Amino acid sequence: MLVPALLVLLFCLRGHAGLSPHFLQQPDDLVALLGDEARLPCALGEYWGLVQWTKDGLALGGERDLPGWSRYWISGNAASGQHDLYIRPVELEDQASYECQATQAGLRSRPAQLHVLVPPEAPQVLGGPLVSLVAGVPANLTCRSRGDARPTPELLWFRDGIRLDGTTFHQPLLKEGTTGSVESILSLTPSSHDDGATLVCRARSQALPSGKDTAITLSLQYPPVVTLSAEPQTVLEGEKVTFLCQATAQPPVTGYRWAKGGSPVLGARGPMLEVVADASFLTEPVSCEVSNAVGSANRSTALDVQFGPVLQARPEPVSVDIGEDASFSCAWRGNPLPRVTWTRSGDAQVLGSGPTLRLPSVGPEDAGDYVCRAEPGLSGLGGGAAEARLTVNAPPVVTALHSAPAFLRGPARLQCLVFASPAPDAVVWSWDEGFLAAGSQGRFLVETFPAPEGRGGQGPALISVLHISGTQESDFSRGFNCSARNRLGEGGTQVSLGRRDLLPTVRIVAGVAAAAMTLLMLIIGVTLCCWRHGKASFSKQKNLVRIPGSSDGSSSRGPEEETGSGEDQGPIVHTDHSDLVLDEEGALETKDPTNGYYKVRGVSVSLSLGEGPGGGLFLPPPSPLGPPGTPTFYDFNAHLGMVPPCRLYRARAGYLTTPHPRAFTSYIKPTSIGPPDLDPRTLPFPYAAFPTPSHPRLQTHV
């Protein structure tokens, strides 16, 4: 009883083991031709989960149509466990290792390698299909495979269906270490009976056992015989020329190659060449090379091109010492030879002709630019000019530059310009008690630097600057010498320092300050006076008396002035005061506090002077100033010192209050200020250019 029970248990265990997932069929290595269809089988038993294929370890996906892989799909009855991988059409990139995997069961098939075979293309025979050979001359025929055939094809030679021996097989290596196309070379020495023979080169491999053939025909020939002509042979520059290259050859000509002066003419093909002639065709002949299968031959010819002058050698700059001879040379070419003349730049006078100009014993006046000129040729083309500079080495020429005036105890700057060839050893500034070439010494500092540009032929220019810090009285009276020396001599000049006065600036500042202070005091006085007298004082002075003969004010007064009581009406004097200022003697003067920089005008006012003795209008004796018939002027200087009661003083624009008649000053800044009319040689904003204003006495016009 125990043995049957064990057998039943073993059978049950084997039954359970048979139900586990397993491979029914696994893929094997496969060889497929390029463009064909490849099938890799995979079958699973007792498994209905996810099945996927991998390519070189890369999962292709678990869906049957394999999205993203347009040439790949999984086919078969999934219910029966069939999961075959199809690839169509097969390409070179499909050559890889493939696996079938049951993901949920953890099963992987053995790797299956897919090999893609590429059949060879028809080989290429160099020189075919008609290969020309020279009888009796050894020759090599080369057959080369084409395309990326896999595996590498075998190349064989046949003649009339019989395989030929004596071939050499060659497969070159590429830089990456891979093999390239293969070659098979057939060596032979043809004879006359080989003319017209047909040779076949065959490429075959495992992918195409029958192979592919390429046939050639042999022909025994001779090299070309060439003649070359040009029309026209003599031509003007810019005209067209046609070259004709004729050849006889057997076999026929295979190609033409044109060259000019030994350099290939790009784009030239065939027996005819058309060009536009220029000067180069005179010295660079045109050649034609004709080739066929046997060999090549060439001929050449030159043109007689007439052209205008062309500069070959420019004149070189010349530098000589004063008193020595100087010479220039330039070269022009042309057909016919051009006429060459020499002139000075900016001057039409001809100094010489020919390729060389000689100037004996030159001086500083000979320095400058000289022009070598060639006239245009018969065609009117070409010609031109070339310049060269003559530099005459001489002692330095020193010129004083404009220096701005300086203030006393302020900084100053003196400048000089030095022309010298050769360059000076040093530029030295000297004065009474010393000299300085560079650096600093006490109050003096010297700087020397190149000028922006020099005069033609006088060599490079230098600017030397003497800086003075804290000028003294003696600096304005002494002379400063600027001198330079080179191997040919010395030159120098004297530079003086101008003085700038501070007085105009001080006057302007003091005048403005005084005017501001006076105006402030007047405003304070008016305010205190009016506050004391009040409204009653204003009423008592309301009735004003018109001065007979007055030409101003009668038409400008209001009705209140003319209807007031005669008892309180005082005399009215219209005056035109322009900046009343007391001078040192107590006289009243007109003074512009800005010294003319701003426009200042007075304000016409009415003064209430009060009654004179006897009830009449008090007026001082008339002034004899002015011609007969002009208005009378009165001098009120003697009465301006009196302090009158607070009055109302009427201006043209309204009433003003003031404690004193001298308070009428109006300071009006102009809307725009133009530049002062100065001499063109005056430095920018020189204070000395503004004149000191005069102070005429105040005249009162009644």
Side-chain angles (χ1 to χ4, degrees):
M1 293 296 292
L2 181 60
V3 173
L6 291 176
L7 291 175
V8 172
L9 179 61
L10 179 61
F11 178 79
C12 292
L13 290 176
R14 290 183 62 186
H16 284 288
L19 295 178
S20 63
H22 60 279
F23 279 104
L24 299 177
Q25 185 180 11
Q26 298 189 45
D28 295 319
D29 292 345
L30 179 65
V31 175
L33 288 177
L34 181 70
D36 290 350
E37 180 180 279
R39 172 181 171 273
L40 296 173
C42 178
L44 290 165
E46 302 300 329
Y47 179 76
W48 296 272
L50 177 65
V51 176
Q52 69 173 4
W53 284 85
T54 63
K55 175 184 177 181
D56 287 337
L58 176 65
L60 301 180
E63 300 180 16
R64 308 286 286 182
D65 57 351
L66 298 180
W69 302 85
S70 59
R71 296 179 295 105
Y72 291 57
W73 73 92
I74 298 175
S75 182
N77 188 353
S80 62
Q82 197 70 29
H83 304 279
D84 299 341
L85 176 63
Y86 284 83
I87 303 174
R88 187 180 61 200
V90 174
E91 296 182 359
L92 288 177
E93 63 184 29
D94 299 329
Q95 182 166 297
S97 177
Y98 295 85
E99 288 184 4
C100 180
Q101 297 179 355
T103 306
Q104 296 169 337
L107 295 178
R108 298 172 60 183
S109 70
R110 61 174 172 267
Q113 187 70 33
L114 174 62
H115 298 278
V116 180
L117 300 183
V118 181
E121 298 180 10
Q124 176 188 13
V125 178
L126 302 184
L130 182 64
V131 179
S132 297
L133 302 177
V134 178
V137 177
N140 292 328
L141 299 180
T142 301
C143 180
R144 180 178 299 167
S145 66
R146 295 189 302 174
D148 188 13
R150 296 187 183 185
T152 302
E154 179 184 17
L155 299 178
L156 304 173
W157 285 95
F158 294 89
R159 180 176 179 177
D160 298 332
I162 301 173
R163 181 176 175 178
L164 300 178
D165 296 327
T167 59
T168 302
F169 183 80
H170 176 66
Q171 186 175 22
L173 292 177
L174 301 179
K175 292 183 179 180
E176 293 79 5
T178 60
T179 58
S181 60
V182 295
E183 295 179 351
S184 178
I185 301 174
L186 175 65
S187 300
L188 73 161
T189 301
S191 59
S192 57
H193 65 271
D194 292 327
D195 186 24
T198 300
L199 301 181
V200 175
C201 179
R202 178 176 299 166
R204 69 181 184 183
S205 68
Q206 178 184 355
L208 188 63
S210 60
K212 287 189 176 181
D213 297 344
T214 298
I216 62 170
T217 302
L218 300 181
S219 175
L220 301 177
Q221 305 294 338
Y222 56 88
V225 177
V226 181
T227 59
L228 179 62
S229 62
E231 182 63 34
Q233 193 70 35
T234 300
V235 63
L236 292 178
E237 184 179 28
E239 293 183 348
K240 288 185 178 180
V241 178
T242 301
F243 293 90
L244 183 60
C245 184
Q246 297 175 314
T248 58
Q250 181 61 35
V253 173
T254 57
Y256 295 84
R257 188 174 68 174
W258 292 89
K260 174 176 172 285
S263 300
V265 179
L266 300 179
R269 300 287 188 270
M272 184 178 296
L273 175 65
E274 191 175 80
V275 298
V276 176
D278 58 31
S280 62
F281 285 89
L282 187 65
T283 56
E284 299 177 3
V286 174
S287 63
C288 173
E289 182 181 70
V290 183
S291 303
N292 67 358
V294 176
S296 62
N298 69 68
R299 292 291 183 269
S300 61
T301 184
L303 294 178
D304 182 17
V305 182
Q306 296 183 351
F307 58 93
V310 177
L311 182 63
Q312 284 186 306
R314 301 183 64 88
E316 298 292 334
V318 176
S319 177
V320 297
D321 292 347
I322 186 171
E324 294 182 353
D325 296 342
S327 64
F328 293 97
S329 296
C330 71
W332 296 81
R333 70 183 182 94
N335 186 23
L337 291 176
R339 179 176 178 267
V340 180
T341 58
W342 292 87
T343 60
R344 194 161 182 176
S345 180
D347 191 353
Q349 181 182 0
V350 177
L351 304 178
S353 60
T356 303
L357 173 66
R358 289 183 174 84
L359 301 174
S361 188
V362 297
E365 67 279 0
D366 297 317
D369 295 328
Y370 289 82
V371 181
C372 173
R373 193 182 310 276
E375 300 299 329
L378 298 177
S379 63
L381 302 175
E387 290 189 3
R389 174 164 294 184
L390 172 62
T391 302
V392 179
N393 299 324
V397 177
V398 184
T399 306
L401 298 178
H402 172 74
S403 301
F407 294 109
L408 180 63
R409 291 181 292 277
R413 174 188 174 102
L414 301 177
Q415 302 179 96
C416 68
L417 180 63
V418 180
F419 291 99
S421 179
D425 302 329
V427 180
V428 180
W429 287 86
S430 60
W431 54 95
D432 296 341
E433 67 271 14
F435 64 91
L436 186 61
S440 60
Q441 176 181 317
R443 298 182 298 113
F444 303 96
L445 171 67
V446 170
E447 289 182 313
T448 302
F449 49 87
E453 63 179 47
R455 291 181 238 171
Q458 290 197 358
L462 299 175
I463 293 179
S464 185
V465 183
L466 174 64
H467 298 274
I468 306 174
S469 62
T471 58
Q472 300 177 358
E473 289 286 352
S474 59
D475 296 334
F476 301 101
S477 58
R478 75 175 77 187
F480 294 87
N481 293 319
C482 177
S483 59
R485 173 185 292 275
N486 61 11
R487 62 179 177 81
L488 297 175
E490 182 178 2
T493 187
Q494 189 175 72
V495 186
S496 299
L497 178 61
R499 182 167 180 172
R500 178 181 295 179
D501 194 1
L502 280 171
L503 186 57
T505 304
V506 174
R507 287 180 178 177
I508 292 176
V509 175
V512 172
M517 184 62 70
T518 302
L519 183 62
L520 179 62
M521 294 176 62
L522 290 177
I523 293 174
I524 296 174
V526 169
T527 305
L528 293 176
C529 179
C530 292
W531 179 75
R532 285 175 50 192
H533 292 278
K535 200 169 185 180
S537 179
F538 174 80
S539 300
K540 291 180 180 181
Q541 299 298 328
K542 186 174 181 181
N543 297 325
L544 304 178
V545 178
R546 182 182 304 171
I547 299 175
S550 174
S551 61
D552 189 17
S554 61
S555 61
S556 62
R557 293 194 298 270
E560 295 182 1
E561 300 179 48
E562 298 181 359
T563 59
S565 171
E567 297 177 357
D568 295 330
Q569 184 174 359
I572 297 297
V573 179
H574 292 278
T575 61
D576 190 12
H577 299 276
S578 300
D579 288 37
L580 306 182
V581 179
L582 288 177
D583 59 6
E584 295 81 4
E585 301 175 357
L588 192 63
E589 296 187 8
T590 61
K591 182 175 182 181
D592 184 357
T594 64
N595 285 338
Y597 191 78
Y598 294 99
K599 297 178 181 179
V600 179
R601 61 180 178 83
V603 177
S604 177
V605 300
S606 298
L607 298 179
S608 178
L609 299 178
E611 296 183 359
L617 176 65
F618 173 78
L619 293 176
S623 172
L625 299 176
T630 60
T632 306
F633 293 89
Y634 297 90
D635 189 359
F636 288 91
N637 285 335
H639 305 279
L640 291 177
M642 299 182 295
V643 181
C646 181
R647 303 290 188 182
L648 286 178
Y649 297 87
R650 179 173 52 84
R652 288 195 178 98
Y655 289 97
L656 299 176
T657 60
T658 180
H660 200 277
R662 291 177 290 169
F664 293 94
T665 301
S666 177
Y667 181 80
I668 301 175
K669 184 176 180 180
T671 57
S672 63
I673 303 173
D677 297 330
L678 304 178
D679 187 88
R681 297 168 295 179
T682 307
L683 293 175
F685 306 105
Y687 293 99
F690 296 97
T692 304
S694 60
H695 306 282
R697 295 290 183 179
L698 173 66
Q699 299 292 337
T700 304
H701 180 201
V702 180

